[in-house]
Amino acid sequence: MKHFYYSIGFLLAFCLPAYGQDVAKEYNLQEVQVTAKRHDFGAKSSQMSAIAISAERIKKLPMLLGEVDVAKSLQTLPGVQSGGEGRAGIFVRGGDYDQNLFMLDGITFYNPEHLQGFTSAINADLLDDVVLYKGAFPSRFGSRLSSVIDISLREGDMEKHHASITAGMLASRIQAEGPLWKGHTSFNIGARISYFNAIVNPLLKEVVYDNPGQMNNFSHMKYYDINAKLTHRFSDKAKLNAMFYYGRDDNNATPNETTRSADYNNNIEFGYLAKGIIDNTSLTQRTNKWNNLLGGLFYEHQLLPSLRLNASVSYSGYDYRLKYTTQTSEKKVIDNLGLDKPALYSLKTQDYNTNYISKVQDVSMQASISYVLKDKHELQAGVQLGLYKISPEINFSNYLYTKKLASDLLAELISLGYGITIGEEDYGIAEQNKQNSIAGKGSVTSLSAYIEDDMNLTDWLKINMGLRLQGYDADGQTHLQLEPRASMRLMMSKGLALKMSYARMSQGLFMLTSASLITPSEVWMPLNKEMKPGISDQVSAGLAKDFDNGIQLSLEGYYKWLDNVVDYREGVSIASVNKWNALVAQGRGRAYGIEFMAQKTEGNTRGHISYTWSKSLRTFDRPDMELNSGKEFYAPGDRRHNFNISITQRLSKNWDFSASWTFQSGRRANISTTTITGGSLDEYNDFHPGVTETNYNYALNPNFNYLAPREYENTCFEDIVRIDTYRNRNSYTLPPVHRLDISLSHHGNIGIGELICDIGIYNLYNRQNLSSVYWGYTDNKPALKGVCLFPIMPSISLTLKL
């Protein structure tokens, strides 16, 4: 703990003197009071299962390493589960990760994460607000089954220029905005670059971790991104927005080498007891890269006071690459032959290479109109066209080199008078090279039309009715889905409403994700002749209560049916198939739960409390697609309990404090619980001296590749193969996760602008939350080990606003 106190002292010493005497001066910051809400999903609205978060609220939440994170702010909301400790990925209401539609200014964002998911790819300096839809989806949204995350960027200031520079422990960023043509054209641009390896990684290795090798998987991680928005106003009624985003990640793991040695006692076939040393060495390396490219034009025209037209064209490109390289060697050295030095008996080396590639090109066009009729009806209608080109690919290679009974050992054995008979199979060199590739380009055309009406029928009854017609054309087949949407709000008393909803959604693109807890592979796949679009049907009901002091309460229950969800088939190796359909299984699922949220959005004290109880299950029982023997099993995103409390407090004009405490049940994964052993039985050898207690009383060594049997004379097992398996799919649950995060922010004037110092502590009481587990060895015995990536983590960042 002394390192923690040293770190806090360093942060305070570094931060506070930077203000000098200006800290004591009164700095009259202008208070901006927002009187109108852009999104109001309270008791008066017919919309339910939706939450809006402002940029100001997101920036004030304490975050990992002080980096403002859009996705992690969503994890504090009811119905949202994190993808793992410290990670930005989310699972919403029992859905899978690929069932979330992330949209940046209306453009699909296929991978909104940096640093393997430890931080969001959205630059919060340009952020306007974020709206999360978990159910009761408006008919203008489609193409995903579980959620829509609508992220809006702020338009640049039309009158004045502003800029900000931020330096933190994880990354630095710069943002600038202002007019290009005062009153008509503005820009807003921001960029970030990380230096994880310069500060955070060495700090974790030297100060925090008992085993610095835990950071090998994260030793060469870096990212950068640039985001810009250009706005031009033709008049008070018409404007054009242009948006651009590019982000890139390079996550390469340091080669991780492990070596295990033990005494070697084994009967080999030419008639003596061999003793010596056996060494098993494994060298693993991973390279992971991806990038996102987004761009679009958005036109908005207020044709009449009650009639508005919107049109847009956009592009989203995604390129993901993951490569695993594993080199193993097994060397047996014999030292009981009376030779001058130990002799090599056998050497076996093997190189495994697996390369995952996923490319997505998405061109979208859409047009819509909205019409308000006498405050009784708000009509929206539109058409959307999407052209998708998907290029998934997996390449596999396995090179095996075997050298057995080296010639120098053979000569020594003969010279020592060993009466042996040697066949060709007992010595020499053997090589084997196996390769396989699964690749296939596919295209999907998506065409949809929708209409909805938000009807204010009476003071106490409001109904939203919508219908979406969704069509997919892929691989010579056309799939049509009719997706009805309906929600109702019934006012029971002042500020208290009963809400109910139903929504059907469909999905034409899927992402196959491996079950790895450390670095799962992610490959997007299109529809084809054998794969059907995913479908979800969700019903929900709840109560909403608004109070006059900015306090809102909500209680919701939901039940969701999922059909045609995807997963990898069991028992199928990428080395033995050459078609995607041979790897993919489709099944069904269901999820249900109860959510509670209380939030306060006004005053000096703000925050929210949320709790979720939920279940998420899957069933794959279709012929040739059975998983878990066709029995129902828990989904990867299944977590029983999720509790969060977040508070922000304005202490004075210059000081702000925030705290967040979270508790989540452990996430689920496949961990091997059973080992099946097999091998080849060596042929009978007449020269064998016979069975004795000494040379045959050996059991299976779990670390190495041999087995001396007890039951048969003159024989032994070689080339032992151990297959790790599990009894039930996703049957292992990691320990629960809980932690307390705090942050303290100070605003001060230094003459040239406003200086903001943010000090934060992630995981204040140093809870050892496990981000992953794996099978390792302790004293040459198998042991399940866990990795805690982020124990207590102090952080500091400085922002200068000009």
Side-chain angles (χ1 to χ4, degrees), residues 150-185:
D150 190 12
I151 304 168
S152 300
L153 300 179
R154 191 180 71 255
E155 296 180 358
D157 196 321
M158 288 284 183
E159 303 298 329
K160 297 181 180 180
H161 288 90
H162 310 279
S164 66
I165 302 173
T166 301
M169 294 178 61
L170 180 62
S172 289
R173 59 185 188 268
I174 185 171
Q175 181 267 339
E177 64 177 295
L180 294 174
W181 178 12
K182 196 170 184 179
H184 295 275
T185 307

Side-chain angles (χ1 to χ4, degrees), residues 727-773:
R727 184 179 298 274
N728 291 305
R729 197 174 183 87
N730 294 332
S731 59
Y732 181 80
T733 304
L734 271 70
V737 171
H738 58 85
R739 68 175 192 274
L740 174 64
D741 309 327
I742 63 171
S743 69
L744 185 65
S745 177
H746 186 276
H747 306 252
N749 184 16
I750 60 172
I752 62 173
E754 179 187 4
L755 183 64
I756 304 173
C757 177
D758 290 300
I759 299 175
I761 303 176
Y762 181 90
N763 197 359
L764 180 64
Y765 51 83
N766 198 27
R767 162 74 176 180
Q768 300 296 299
N769 294 312
L770 299 185
S771 61
S772 61
V773 294

